[in-house]
Every structure is written in structure tokens, then in C-alpha cells.
Amino acid sequence: MLSQVDKQLIKSWRQYAIEPQLAKITGRVLRNTGPRIAVVGNCQSFGVAYAMKVLDPSATVDHFVMVARARANMGFFAKTLATYDYVFSHDFLDGHVRGGGSEELCRRLPKTLIFPAITFAAFHPDLIYIHDLAQMHGFVCGPIGPYHSAIGLFAYRKGLSLEMANALFHENVFEALGYFDVWNEAARELLDTTRERYGVDLSAELMNWSRRGVFMYSTVHPMSFVLFDLAKKLFEKVGLKPRAVNFNYYDVHDLARSEIFPIYPPIAKRFGALGGYMFKLQNHHISTTVGDFLTLPQFLASCYKIYGNYDSAKIGNPRVDAWLADEATSALLVRLARENFVAGRMPTL
């Protein structure tokens, strides 16, 4: 079965080698007469590619998503990308394309510009991943894909009941775990990484995003206006002039089709936003179904059921492991769960 990358490679050669010849024969005027741009990367790369098309409608912008394994090898992949005027790529590991990752692509095609993925944890400090060592770059999937709750995993591994697990989702627990103090570190990590590793300064952009309120669906899924601003920076970096455009009018919220991790109400309140405990399941078929959501009790119950299928040693996470290993932290969380449960301090939104 062909991956998205394989299909895009075929489409690319048709656009590059066949369609111009057909246009000459038929007299058809080609719509895209501007630069050819390739965007390679993870789930954020579509948003960047779409933004680049909005910034220059005359451009041919093709998107190569590095998610599944492709049948194509690195030689053919690099040869295809060489037909583009500009190549932008996220870092990606060996295995998506046979014969190498983004480092090998840059070696074969030096014009490739590696660009950053946007990550920001301040809105979702409880979100964690559980790595599945049996899979290539894989994760243990929960009820909303790879996203898990550190508090929920702690409660399960500590042997707390579902009622007690629910009672942990309270402001006093978030305070004890430092969840209200993540912004500065998240901002520093984002700005330092993008500037030092990728040569992209997003300090002004981060200030503007924060003024708009919440700008992430999860720690790794930014809203589309974030990716639009990143696309403008990338255009400027390679000498392309971004056109003035009201992106909000043409906005496509592609990553909203994926899983959405909620912003817990006490955390949202710190940012002047409305929070909740509604977990959204992925829905990439939004034209045929509206999708589904889970409440916090439903989410935790589903997590407990899934975790029960694994050996405890295989559902580890460094942060949760540290909580469990520290007697003071572990005892504090258990005590707060009991106090909240007895006092009726249970999440309601």
C-alpha cells in the first residue's frame, strides 16, 4: 500500500514533467507559474504548506508528510525534491523513507532548509506520552491517541480508584505539581530552540500569540495562525516576499481534526480563558461524521481499561516514575485525592 509520501512523489513528477507538456499541446494556461515549494514534515507541515500557498497563490506548494513508512528510498526522494526551487523540512528520523532521515536528505540536497516544529507545554502541563519500545518511534495509544494524563497514569499505577483519580483534578493538586509555573520555561525552551538550532526568532510572534489567548490544541499541535506566522518567517529567511493577506479569512484549522487535549479550568483561568475537561477524539472524516468527545470520568475509565492490558513496566513515563519513586510527592498526591473526594471537590466542567 502506498503511503502519502509515495502518492505525493508520483503527483510531483506528473506536475513537473507531464502537465507542462500537456499544456503546450492543449494550449491550456498553467495556473501555478510561481516558485515550486516542497514542505516535508510531521503533522504541522500541512499548516505551514497551506500558509505558504496563501502567501503566494502562484506557487506550487506540495506537502510530504513524514508519518507512515514510504516505499520510496532516499535517492528517489531527494531526486524528486531537487525539482523544487525551495525545500523546507522538519527533522525526521530514518525509517519514514528508506535510506535515511532529514540529515541524509540535507547531505544529498544541501538547499534543504530545516525548520522547527512548534511545541509549547504551558497550556497542557499534564499531557505526557508513553513510549512503546516495540514500535518504531511508537507510543502507547490511549482513548485519544498518544496523549495521556500524567495525573491519570499516576493514579492508575498507585492503585487509586477511578473516583480518587477524578478527585486529583483539582487546583490544589495542580498547584502542588507546579502546573501553574510552566509558562516561562515553555517560552524559554521554544524561543531558545527555534533561535539557536534553526535560526528563527519567534519572540515577537510568541508575544502576539499570547495576546490572542490559547494558541495550542496540545503541547505539539499549534493553531493555524501560529503556523502561518512561522511560514512568513521561513519565506523571509529564503528571500521570498510574503504578500499581505488576512489569513483569518482563509484559515483552515487542520489540526483541529486530530485529538484535542483540554485546558483544565484552573489553568485556563490563569490565562484569562475558559477551560474544561472535554477530551476530543481524532476525526479525519469530518465531512461524514461530527466525531466524539469524552468527559474526564469517561477518559480516565478508558485509560484504566487500556492500561490494564499492559505490564506496569511498559507504561512508564519519566515524570510519573519520579512521582512514584518520591515518597513525599506520592504521599501528598494520595492525601490530596482523599481530601478532595471527602470534601466533594470533584471536577464538574
Side-chain angles (χ1 to χ4, degrees):
M1 184 176 180
L2 296 179
S3 70
Q4 189 272 354
V5 168
D6 294 313
K7 294 176 182 178
Q8 187 60 56
L9 288 170
I10 295 171
K11 177 184 175 183
S12 177
W13 281 107
R14 184 177 71 244
Q15 290 175 334
Y16 178 70
I18 300 176
E19 289 185 3
Q21 299 304 318
L22 290 176
K24 290 180 181 179
I25 296 173
T26 62
R28 181 172 62 88
V29 177
L30 293 175
R31 181 184 302 122
N32 299 329
T33 57
R36 283 172 52 84
I37 300 172
V39 181
V40 181
N42 60 29
C43 49
Q44 297 184 21
S45 56
F46 172 84
V48 173
Y50 178 79
M52 288 182 172
K53 181 66 175 179
V54 174
L55 289 169
D56 185 355
S58 73
T60 296
V61 184
D62 289 329
H63 167 229
F64 299 83
V65 60
M66 289 294 143
V67 176
R69 292 175 181 265
R71 292 189 176 185
N73 60 35
M74 180 55 71
F76 182 64
F77 187 54
K79 182 179 179 181
T80 303
L81 294 182
T83 67
Y84 290 84
D85 301 303
Y86 303 94
V87 179
F88 302 92
S89 178
H90 280 138
D91 293 301
F92 63 91
L93 299 174
D94 189 1
H96 296 295
V97 176
R98 292 186 293 118
S102 53
E103 288 188 6
E104 179 63 17
L105 174 61
C106 290
R107 189 187 70 80
R108 293 173 181 250
L109 196 65
K111 69 179 177 181
T112 302
L113 177 68
I114 301 296
F115 71 97
I118 303 298
T119 61
F120 193 78
F123 299 118
H124 309 92
D126 190 45
L127 192 160
I128 60 169
Y129 297 89
I130 303 174
H131 288 274
D132 184 350
L133 300 180
Q135 300 183 47
M136 181 190 74
H137 324 315
F139 302 95
V140 172
C141 281
I144 58 166
Y147 299 160
H148 297 263
S149 159
I151 293 173
L153 181 59
F154 168 84
Y156 173 81
R157 293 187 58 194
K158 193 63 178 177
L160 300 183
S161 67
L162 279 169
E163 291 79 7
M164 295 282 279
N166 275 271
L168 280 170
F169 288 80
H170 187 272
E171 185 172 2
N172 55 15
V173 174
F174 304 153
E175 182 74 46
L177 294 175
Y179 281 5
F180 298 126
D181 305 316
V182 178
W183 181 279
N184 288 341
E185 179 61 23
R188 184 200 61 76
E189 182 177 356
L190 171 64
L191 296 179
D192 287 355
T193 299
T194 54
R195 184 187 301 112
E196 296 171 7
R197 185 170 180 180
Y198 301 97
V200 177
D201 183 3
L202 295 175
S203 52
E205 284 73 18
L206 177 59
M207 183 178 298
N208 290 332
W209 302 338
S210 63
R211 287 171 177 165
R212 295 184 63 164
V214 176
F215 56 84
M216 302 290 291
Y217 293 118
S218 71
T219 57
V220 295
H221 279 181
M223 294 184 178
S224 50
F225 63 83
V226 172
L227 298 177
F228 176 73
D229 285 347
L230 176 59
K232 285 195 296 183
K233 300 290 283 192
L234 296 177
F235 259 39
E236 293 166 356
K237 193 172 179 63
V238 298
L240 290 171
K241 186 176 181 180
R243 64 196 293 266
V245 61
N246 179 9
F247 183 68
N248 291 334
Y249 192 69
Y250 300 97
D251 201 356
V252 173
H253 298 280
D254 178 63
L255 290 175
R257 299 183 305 160
S258 192
E259 301 89 352
I260 295 180
F261 203 88
I263 304 175
Y264 302 159
I267 296 171
K269 185 178 180 180
R270 301 293 177 107
F271 301 119
L274 178 64
Y277 291 107
M278 188 165 70
F279 297 78
K280 178 189 173 293
L281 282 68
Q282 70 166 349
N283 176 23
H284 295 288
H285 304 284
I286 202 164
S287 61
T288 58
T289 175
V290 297
D292 212 346
F293 299 81
L294 297 174
T295 64
L296 177 60
Q298 290 171 333
F299 172 75
L300 290 174
S302 184
C303 285
Y304 268 45
K305 184 176 181 180
I306 291 170
Y307 297 158
N309 296 323
Y310 288 87
D311 185 307
S312 292
K314 294 185 178 180
I315 52 173
N317 170 271
R319 188 198 310 176
V320 176
D321 292 343
W323 292 348
L324 291 166
D326 184 81
E327 292 184 7
T329 300
S330 186
L332 173 62
L333 293 177
V334 172
R335 177 174 61 81
L336 289 174
R338 290 172 179 162
E339 291 177 356
N340 290 342
F341 180 72
V342 171
R345 294 192 288 257
M346 305 292 280
T348 57
L349 297 177

